[in-house]
């Protein structure tokens, strides 16, 4: 029976291998400190945090997230450890909440490895605090217990660490927040929530009323049934609009979306249901497919997490059984020791095989679902090899999201989940052309890697042009040395660029000045509520700036303008698509760190650099490629150009 604790209450723990699960309404930092009998923390090596997530018997999440799972093995704790304190803190990210009183009360559960709850605690009553000691596991007369603490600190993480006797608490807190910021930069964000009205945010030619700011949509993507039993979740989207301009979808209704229509007969008893495309809630088929892709990502994250946890448990159990068997000197002589090893390994193999059977069953179900979902995806969600592109027509409105690649895990590399970014883009995109980015990049010739990176950027720009209505998306290019002329040929030859690619220092300065002025004018119009004051020649379409070979051709002023566009541009419809090797800009040092963190990093070759914000799996990103010999990209761009010339949509 689960013990529902209140502040100060304790409960005896029936086992020593545990998980501590945290659920919050906003991303939080989770960590833990190890203390002696008096609760004193003897140095930073007694603290597990995102920058140093593993200690003997303890592992915490590597990044801020709304949900965490901390692994604890109390038997593996050093003998000097008598107390394990679980800490939560709000990350120091721009625009995020600064006190726990402004968010939902965090919920903490101590569970067994199979997920059975032992004790729970809801941290109510917090207000100005930005960090809190949630609960502690402590040793008393040889037994371990859990106590609900709920001690908050208005001084944040530094004050909480200092209260536990940590020397240099302020410096350590700063390094933890820096590690969290790096983790957020590589994190794949879940789909943005929706407003109660279900509206989506989009930028158009008009300027919204600044007196009526509207928050980004709120509410998680709908849940769905799954064969997995683990409770972690993740999402395959990377960004949501957070601009101050909100426009109601002209066909959006104000009530809850309907459930998916019954398109398949019920499954026979004992057999899984047959997968159906659009098997999710939503007002349209597009929205149902979007939510279904989200659900597939969630299911794959959960079932893989359950499998990995089971394998870790089996290995740990085998080690413990071997230690106990071989601790007796009598078992080290003769065949007793060999029999103990064989029995322990047999139990390990049995547990591992059982976990693999459950994983394979779930993977087969997801693969079957993917097989019916992929052919049904609209063009914006589909790969270049999908036949839907051969029937392409310029759309009348922007879609919910755009596919920019695929994600997969090593347990089944063939099961690909579309990586979708919400539209309009909230953050820019960085195509990393560096050879140090991944193992595959290191094995690729430098010139070929740069060409692949630029080809990748051109393909993304083409997809963005293709999914926007005619005249509602413009693309600018900065190519200081003119080295990307061949890769840019599909865009330049089709006539879809806003102007010729800018080269040289003068061209760089001209394009940056033009887009910086546009950001300034639109921001002033928004603040003043004066949409009519915008110059008539101002292009109110969404703007995309492709930057190749950064920082070549950029002086200090140009670098400052680029950082300004990365920070301020997305909220007023100006977006970056950079092709760069970070090593080329190393001379700038930490000055450019905020720029790199503000961009969604992708690679021109496969790389496992993306992480989901719940489980923390390292997901391998696969870029989208056009089929060999296909001219689908040129054909799509030709239709976009034709629609622009005629001023109408086919």
């Amino acid at each position: 029976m689960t013990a529902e604790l209140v502040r100060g209450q304790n409960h005896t723990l029936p086992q020593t291998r545990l998980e501590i699960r945290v659920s919050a309404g906003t991303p939080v930092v989770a960590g833990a400190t190890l203390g002696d009998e008096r609760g004193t923390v003897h140095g930073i090596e007694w603290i597990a945090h995102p920058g140093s997530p593993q200690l003997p018997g303890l592992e915490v999440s590597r990044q801020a997230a709304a949900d965490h799972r901390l692994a604890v093995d109390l038997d593996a704790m050093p003998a000097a450890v008598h107390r394990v304190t679980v800490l939560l803190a709000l990350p120091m990210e721009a625009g995020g909440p600064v006190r726990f009183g402004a968010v939902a009360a965090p919920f903490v559960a101590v569970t067994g490895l199979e997920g059975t709850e032992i004790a729970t605690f809801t941290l109510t009553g917090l207000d100005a605090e930005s960090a809190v000691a949630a609960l502690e596991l402590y040793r008393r007369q040889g037994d371990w217990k859990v106590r609900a603490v709920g001690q908050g600190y208005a001084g944040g993480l530094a004050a909480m660490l200092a209260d536990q006797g940590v020397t240099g608490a302020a410096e350590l807190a700063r390094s933890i927040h820096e590690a969290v910021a790096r983790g957020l930069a590589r994190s794949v964000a879940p789909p943005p929530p929706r407003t109660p009205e279900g509206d989506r945010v989009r930028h158009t030619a008009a300027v919204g009323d600044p007196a009526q700011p509207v928050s980004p949509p709120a509410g998680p993507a709908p849940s769905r049934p799954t064969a997995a039993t683990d409770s972690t979740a993740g999402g395959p989207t990377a960004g949501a609009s957070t601009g101050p301009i909100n426009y109601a979808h002209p066909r959006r209704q104000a009530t809850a979306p309907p459930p998916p229509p019954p398109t398949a007969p019920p499954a026979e008893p004992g057999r899984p249901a047959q997968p159906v495309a659009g098997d999710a809630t939503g007002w349209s088929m597009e929205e149902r497919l979007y939510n279904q892709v989200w659900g597939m990502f969630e299911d794959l994250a959960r079932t893989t997490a359950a499998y990995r946890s089971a394998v870790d448990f089996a290995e740990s159990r085998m080690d413990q059984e071997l230690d106990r068997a071989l601790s007796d000197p009598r078992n080290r002589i003769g065949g007793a020791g060999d029999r103990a090893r064989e029995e322990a390994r047999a139990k390990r193999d049995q547990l591992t095989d059982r976990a693999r059977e459950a994983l394979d069953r779930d993977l087969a179900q997801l693969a079957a679902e993917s097989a019916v979902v992929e052919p049904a995806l609209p063009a914006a969600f589909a790969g270049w090899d999908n036949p839907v592109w051969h029937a392409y027509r310029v759309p009348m409105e922007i879609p919910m999201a755009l596919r920019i690649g695929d994600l997969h895990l090593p347990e089944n590399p063939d099961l690909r989940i579309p990586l979708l970014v919400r539209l309009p883009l909230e953050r820019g995109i960085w195509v990393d052309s560096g050879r140090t980015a991944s193992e595959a990049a290191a094995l690729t010739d430098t010139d070929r890697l740069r060409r692949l990176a630029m080809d990748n950027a051109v393909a993304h720009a083409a997809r963005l042009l293709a999914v926007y209505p005619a005249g509602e998306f413009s693309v600018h290019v900065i190519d200081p040395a003119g080295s990307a002329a061949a890769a840019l040929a599909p865009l330049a030859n089709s006539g879809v660029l806003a102007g010729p690619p800018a080269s040289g220092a003068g061209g760089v300065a001209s394009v940056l000045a033009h887009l910086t002025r546009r950001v300034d004018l639109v921001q002033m119009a928004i603040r003043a509520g004066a949409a009519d004051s915008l110059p008539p020649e101002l292009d109110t379409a969404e703007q995309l700036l492709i930057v190749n070979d950064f920082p070549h051709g950029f002086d200090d002023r140009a670098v400052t303008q680029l950082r300004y566009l990365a920070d301020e541009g997305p909220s007023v419809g100006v977006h970056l698509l950079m092709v760069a090797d970070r090593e080329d800009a190393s001379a700038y040092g930490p000055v450019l760190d905020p720029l790199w963190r503000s961009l969604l990093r992708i690679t021109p070759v496969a790389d496992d650099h993306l992480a989901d914000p719940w489980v923390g799996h390292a997901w391998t990103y696969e870029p989208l490629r056009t089929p060999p010999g296909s001219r689908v990209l040129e054909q799509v761009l030709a239709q976009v150009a034709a629609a622009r010339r005629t001023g109408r949509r086919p």
Side-chain angles (χ1 to χ4, degrees):
M1 181 177 179
T2 303
E4 298 181 1
L5 305 181
V6 297
R7 189 174 278 105
Q9 187 177 2
N10 60 47
H11 182 73
T12 301
L13 295 172
Q15 58 197 79
T16 56
R17 285 184 56 84
L18 308 163
E19 281 189 352
I20 298 174
R21 304 189 178 191
V22 179
S23 179
T26 188
V28 297
V29 182
T33 60
L34 306 182
D36 59 16
E37 291 178 322
R38 294 184 296 274
T40 303
V41 180
H42 295 278
I44 60 174
E45 64 275 8
W46 283 39
I47 305 173
H49 57 82
S52 179
Q54 291 183 323
L55 293 177
L58 178 64
E59 183 174 1
V60 304
S61 302
R62 290 168 170 77
Q63 57 196 43
D67 297 278
H68 292 272
R69 295 177 10 149
L70 284 61
V72 179
D73 185 352
L74 297 173
D75 287 338
M77 293 286 174
V81 173
H82 286 259
R83 188 177 302 177
V84 181
T85 304
V86 177
L87 315 176
L88 304 178
L90 293 171
M92 298 175 62
E93 58 176 328
V98 296
R99 60 188 185 90
F100 275 108
V103 300
F107 174 82
V108 183
V110 180
T111 76
L113 295 182
E114 73 287 353
T116 303
E117 291 183 347
I118 299 170
T120 64
F121 176 42
T122 303
L123 284 76
T124 58
L126 299 175
D127 187 12
E129 299 88 345
S130 59
V132 60
L135 53 78
E136 63 182 14
L137 313 178
Y138 63 97
R139 200 195 310 252
R140 180 66 54 84
Q141 298 178 350
D143 294 328
W144 283 93
K145 297 184 177 183
V146 57
R147 177 186 291 119
V149 180
Q151 174 64 53
Y153 295 84
L157 193 56
M160 180 165 53
L161 294 173
D163 189 45
Q164 297 192 33
V166 178
T167 303
E171 292 76 10
L172 177 59
R174 189 179 307 112
S175 69
I176 292 174
H177 284 300
E178 289 174 355
V180 170
R182 292 192 296 270
L184 288 173
R186 65 184 285 268
S187 174
V188 179
R194 296 184 178 85
T195 59
E197 292 79 18
D199 297 338
R200 287 194 280 126
V201 177
R202 64 175 295 183
H203 303 287
T204 66
V207 178
D209 180 4
Q212 299 293 331
V214 181
S215 303
S223 59
R224 66 182 202 150
T226 174
T229 59
D230 189 68
S231 63
T232 54
T237 58
S241 179
T242 57
I245 309 173
N246 181 286
Y247 296 92
H249 191 290
R251 297 192 304 275
R252 180 70 71 225
Q253 302 184 37
T255 56
T263 55
E268 298 178 12
R271 299 185 61 183
Q274 294 298 313
V276 177
D279 186 19
T281 59
W283 285 108
S284 64
M285 188 61 173
E286 177 198 40
E287 190 171 1
R288 292 198 295 272
L289 286 168
Y290 174 81
N291 288 333
Q292 187 171 15
V293 170
W294 153 268
M296 292 166 59
F297 185 96
E298 178 183 350
D299 286 354
L300 183 54
R302 294 198 296 183
T303 192
T304 304
Y307 168 71
R308 293 180 180 180
S309 179
V311 171
D312 290 343
F313 171 73
E315 293 287 347
S316 177
R317 176 175 170 175
M318 180 186 70
D319 292 340
Q320 291 178 12
E321 291 180 350
L322 288 175
D323 289 342
R324 286 195 296 267
L326 299 180
S327 63
D328 187 346
R330 293 171 297 181
N331 291 336
R332 301 175 190 171
I333 303 174
D338 293 337
R339 286 194 299 273
R341 291 187 185 92
E342 292 176 1
E343 291 175 0
R345 288 169 181 158
K347 291 180 182 178
R348 186 272 314 271
D349 293 342
Q350 182 181 15
L351 290 173
T352 302
D353 291 344
R354 193 184 308 162
R356 186 70 209 194
E357 288 176 4
L359 175 67
D360 289 342
R361 183 176 61 250
D362 290 344
L363 292 178
Q365 186 175 343
L366 285 168
E369 185 172 13
S370 177
V372 299
V373 168
E374 279 285 354
L377 294 176
F381 298 0
W384 286 115
D385 56 350
N386 192 309
V388 70
W389 284 104
H390 296 290
Y392 167 77
R393 294 292 182 270
V394 177
M396 301 291 289
E397 61 178 19
I398 68 171
M400 295 181 65
L402 180 74
R403 185 173 184 166
I404 63 169
D406 293 330
L407 299 174
H408 63 82
L409 290 171
E411 281 76 6
N412 190 343
D414 294 332
L415 179 56
R416 308 290 178 89
I417 305 295
L419 173 59
L420 305 177
V421 293
R422 282 295 292 257
L423 295 180
L425 296 173
E426 180 198 30
R427 58 194 295 202
I429 298 174
W430 164 31
V431 184
D432 190 349
S433 60
R435 296 189 69 226
T436 60
S438 66
E439 181 179 350
L443 298 175
T444 306
D445 176 77
T446 300
D447 293 337
R448 172 169 169 74
L449 192 63
R450 292 180 184 272
R451 173 60 190 264
L452 286 174
M454 197 61 202
D455 287 343
N456 195 251
V458 168
H460 291 316
R463 293 177 72 88
L464 284 163
L465 284 163
V467 301
Y468 271 79
E472 291 193 16
F473 199 86
S474 297
V475 177
H476 309 260
V477 177
I478 289 179
D479 185 21
S483 60
L488 290 167
L491 296 177
N493 295 341
S494 62
V496 295
L497 293 178
S503 59
V508 171
S510 175
V511 172
L512 290 176
H514 169 72
L515 292 177
T516 301
R517 176 177 177 269
R518 183 193 183 282
V519 171
D520 290 340
L521 289 174
V522 176
Q523 283 187 337
M524 287 188 292
I526 291 173
R527 286 193 293 266
D532 295 339
S533 65
L534 289 171
E537 71 276 8
L538 183 76
D539 183 5
T540 55
E542 298 274 318
Q543 309 287 313
L544 178 71
L545 173 60
I546 302 176
V547 179
N548 181 45
D549 211 15
F550 176 81
H552 181 76
F554 281 72
D555 56 18
D556 290 345
R557 176 179 173 80
V559 170
T560 301
Q561 289 177 314
L562 189 69
R563 287 185 56 188
Y564 175 73
L565 292 178
D567 293 339
E568 304 294 334
S571 64
V572 289
V574 177
H575 313 286
L576 288 184
L577 177 53
M578 288 184 56
V579 179
D581 179 357
R582 190 168 182 173
E583 291 298 317
D584 293 343
S586 59
Y588 287 94
V591 173
L592 291 181
D593 285 352
L595 172 64
W596 303 119
R597 287 199 297 264
S598 70
L599 304 173
L600 172 64
R601 175 178 169 259
I602 58 177
T603 52
V605 292
D607 184 32
D608 61 351
H609 66 283
L610 290 175
D612 66 79
W614 286 269
V615 183
H617 293 322
W619 292 80
T620 297
Y621 167 81
E622 291 276 358
L624 297 176
R625 303 196 189 284
T626 56
S630 172
R631 294 189 55 81
V632 61
L633 190 146
E634 289 81 0
Q635 294 168 359
V636 168
L637 290 176
Q639 289 204 42
V640 172
R644 288 186 171 194
R645 287 192 300 268
T646 60
R648 61 181 177 82
R649 308 176 181 87

